[in-house]
């Protein structure tokens, strides 16, 4: 491969290690010796099920997601999920907790208001610079779900703050945000 690659620091796409690109290139044409591209596999096939099950196992391990939580893989871009999430997860006459920390989570909360009541967990601020520590959060314990965007690319920050189970998140790390 060309070793003089340009690194893209724009929001969205990111640098991918060459080994990953080489494997993806190989499997794009012939996944796991099936004779089919990974893009041509039936979503009902054993090979596709293996991909999804492996992805879920790795995600659960990485994010410490317990077995009593469901992992849902959804297609489409982030904006399409702004309505898909409340349409699928918001229970009738319930609230959804939203951690609004930037443009994307604000748009998601606004869209969710079309389908039910949205409770904003963190106080409104004039300028978003990160996620306040969980000690300042006020969540609704009866909410159907908690929405959190950890990559507010418009404000050029990525937060790795995670909450305790008290707020409906299933993993725990210390609060940290970077500019």
């Amino acid at each position: 491969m060309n070793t003089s690659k340009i690194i893209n620091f724009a929001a969205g796409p990111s640098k991918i290690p060459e080994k990953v690109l080489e494997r993806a290139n190989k499997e794009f044409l012939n996944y796991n010796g099936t004779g089919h591209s990974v893009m041509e596999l039936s979503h009902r096939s054993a090979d596709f099920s293996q991909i999804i099950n492996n992805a879920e196992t790795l995600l659960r391990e990485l994010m410490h997601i317990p077995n009593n939580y469901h992992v849902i893989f959804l297609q489409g871009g982030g904006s399409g999920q702004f309505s898909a999430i409340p349409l699928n997860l918001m229970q009738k006459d319930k609230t959804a907790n939203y951690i609004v920390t930037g443009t994307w989570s604000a748009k998601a909360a606004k869209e969710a208001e079309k389908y039910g009541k949205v409770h904003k967990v963190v106080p409104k601020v004039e300028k978003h610079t990160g996620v306040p520590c969980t000690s300042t959060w006020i969540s609704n314990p009866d909410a159907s779900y908690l929405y959190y965007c950890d990559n507010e690319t418009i404000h050029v920050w990525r937060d790795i703050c995670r909450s305790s189970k008290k707020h409906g998140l299933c993993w725990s790390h210390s609060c940290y945000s970077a500019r």
Side-chain angles (χ1 to χ4, degrees), residues 5 11 15 31 40 67 71 78-79 86 90-91 114 146 149 178:
K5 278 184 68 168
K15 181 162 177 49
Y31 176 74
E40 298 170 319
N67 289 331
V71 174
S79 297
M90 191 180 287
Q91 297 170 4
K114 295 177 182 178
L146 180 135
C149 176

Side-chain angles (χ1 to χ4, degrees), residues 57-159:
T57 298
L58 292 172
L59 186 62
R60 284 183 182 281
E61 180 183 320
L62 178 67
M63 302 301 293
H64 307 287
I65 302 171
N67 289 331
N68 62 325
Y69 282 76
H70 294 282
V71 174
I72 304 170
F73 294 101
L74 303 168
Q75 71 177 29
S79 297
Q81 300 309 315
F82 294 164
S83 58
I85 289 170
L87 282 169
N88 285 285
L89 300 178
M90 191 180 287
Q91 297 170 4
K92 186 176 181 176
D93 301 322
K94 286 276 193 170
T95 300
N97 285 326
Y98 274 72
I99 302 172
V100 177
T101 58
T103 300
W104 298 118
S105 52
K107 288 181 180 200
K110 184 177 179 182
E111 183 67 21
E113 288 172 345
K114 295 177 182 178
Y115 309 104
K117 187 171 189 234
V118 169
H119 172 75
K120 294 180 182 165
V121 174
V122 296
K124 186 175 182 176
V125 295
E126 290 298 315
K127 182 178 179 185
H128 298 287
T129 58
V131 176
C133 266
T134 58
S135 62
T136 65
W137 295 9
I138 301 171
S139 63
N140 180 337
D142 296 322
S144 297
Y145 64 92
L146 180 135
Y147 181 93
Y148 174 57
C149 176
D150 74 340
N151 195 14
E152 291 282 3
T153 55
I154 290 178
H155 298 287
V156 194
W157 64 271
R158 177 176 165 81
D159 189 275

